[in-house]
Amino acid sequence: MSALLKTLALLFTLIYTVTSSCTPSDLAALLAFKSSLNEPYLGIFNTWSGTNCCSNWYGISCDPTTGRVADINLRGESEDPIFEKAGRSGYMTGSINPSLCKLDRLSTLILADWKGVSGEIPGCVASLSNLRILDLIGNQISGKIPANIGNLQRLTVLNLADNGLTGEIPASLTALANMKHLDLSSNKLTGQLPADFGNLKMLSRALLSKNQLSGAIPNSISGMYRLADLDLSVNKISGSVPGWLGSMRVLSTLNLDSNMISGQLPASLLSSTGLGILNLSRNAIEGNIPDAFGPKSYFMALDLSYNNLKGPIPGSLSSAAYVGHLDLSHNHLCGTIPVGTPFDHLEASSFSFNDCLCGNPLKTC
């Protein structure tokens, strides 16, 4: 009986050791990761002491069955008590040490909003096959997105916004079949969107604003049946606005403002029953505004300002179920502004700087 008890005790000790402390290799990788970063105000790395990185190390969590490091969650803006006590947001400098790639069971890597982390994304990050979330938003990271980023087949969130990334969007990125959220906005990315961007069938948000992307909107996007938010604003996108954008059933927000888009405005965008925010301002769109609004049109915001639109304001706009913010200024529109909803609550600035519009809230005709 005593032998059985000893065996059980030994087994319990082994299980406890596995599930309560990280492996020496994970410990070494985290310490090397820490050595390349400097966080002077909050002291979060002060908790990274001792040999058990699975216990009370700030931002670190481990798989309870294997004892391997599973998550690094370090956010520079948080409601965590450590931030409230300091009375400030975080600031961190340094770079991402490639030793991180030795954490081969890592599923979450968040090093976000620290404002000063620089250097490049280590190419070996693309070897972390268990990675589901990669969030490096709000730093000063430079260089290119790793060419083999498409190897991360389990990735669901890729957020590299608000950095200084350059180069083109890697061709392999469109192989991320499970990705739901993509944010590459506010970088210095160039080149065209990959022609097969539409392969990202699970994607619900594609945020690519404030880069230097060029070329036309890929036709493959028409097959992204889960896409709800497409933001290509403040780039160098050219060509015309594809009519199929108005037929995408889930798409509710479309921001294409501040580009080099030309051609005419598709009627399908205005008759869409799903689009709630449509911003096409600051382009070179021409022709008349299609008289295509209907009782199911519901726009929280509709901005067509700073284009080359001409002709009258379509009367069908007054039949829309709702129009919150409307901006038709800085075009070549002419004629009488329709009466009734939504025109009765709009300011003159919504219609200013056109050729010959008149009627409330502008001067009488």
Side-chain angles (χ1 to χ4, degrees), residues 61-241:
S61 60
C62 299
D63 185 320
T65 58
T66 64
R68 298 296 305 278
V69 173
D71 303 302
I72 298 177
N73 188 349
L74 300 174
R75 293 188 181 276
E77 295 180 5
S78 171
E79 295 180 359
D80 189 280
I82 197 171
F83 289 85
E84 294 183 5
K85 183 178 179 180
R88 60 167 296 145
S89 61
Y91 180 76
M92 187 186 294
T93 57
S95 59
I96 301 173
N97 195 304
S99 66
L100 186 80
C101 302
K102 296 179 181 178
L103 301 170
D104 55 16
R105 296 297 181 91
L106 200 65
S107 65
T108 301
L109 173 55
I110 299 175
L111 187 66
D113 294 314
W114 290 101
K115 307 172 186 68
V117 177
S118 57
E120 299 188 2
I121 301 171
C124 60
V125 164
S127 69
L128 295 172
S129 59
N130 291 295
L131 205 61
R132 297 178 185 274
I133 298 174
L134 178 56
D135 187 348
L136 305 176
I137 186 176
N139 288 293
Q140 296 181 28
I141 296 171
S142 58
K144 298 182 178 181
I145 300 171
N148 293 326
I149 194 78
N151 291 346
L152 301 177
Q153 286 297 296
R154 297 186 180 182
L155 202 67
T156 60
V157 174
L158 178 59
N159 190 351
L160 305 177
D162 298 319
N163 279 289
L165 295 169
T166 54
E168 298 187 0
I169 295 174
S172 73
L173 184 136
T174 59
L176 297 173
N178 291 303
M179 189 160 58
K180 298 177 181 178
H181 179 99
L182 173 65
D183 192 348
L184 303 178
S185 59
S186 298
N187 279 288
K188 301 175 183 177
L189 300 174
T190 55
Q192 300 186 17
L193 283 176
D196 58 351
F197 192 82
N199 286 352
L200 301 171
K201 299 294 186 184
M202 298 297 289
L203 200 65
S204 62
R205 303 191 76 200
L207 309 178
L208 302 163
S209 66
K210 298 179 182 176
N211 281 287
Q212 299 170 32
L213 299 173
S214 57
I217 299 171
N219 285 324
S220 62
I221 291 178
S222 63
M224 299 174 70
Y225 58 91
R226 293 176 181 260
L227 189 64
D229 188 347
L230 176 60
D231 191 347
L232 293 171
S233 60
V234 196
N235 277 290
K236 297 179 180 179
I237 302 296
S238 57
S240 58
V241 181

Side-chain angles (χ1 to χ4, degrees), residues 14-34:
L14 289 172
I15 293 173
Y16 180 80
T17 300
V18 168
T19 58
S20 63
S21 61
C22 62
T23 65
S25 60
D26 282 3
L27 176 63
L30 285 176
L31 290 176
F33 175 71
K34 169 187 172 182

Side-chain angles (χ1 to χ4, degrees), residues 20-54:
S20 63
S21 61
C22 62
T23 65
S25 60
D26 282 3
L27 176 63
L30 285 176
L31 290 176
F33 175 71
K34 169 187 172 182
S35 71
S36 296
L37 296 168
N38 178 39
E39 189 283 293
Y41 299 113
L42 302 174
I44 63 171
F45 288 134
N46 294 340
T47 65
W48 289 30
S49 60
T51 58
N52 187 2
C53 62
C54 293

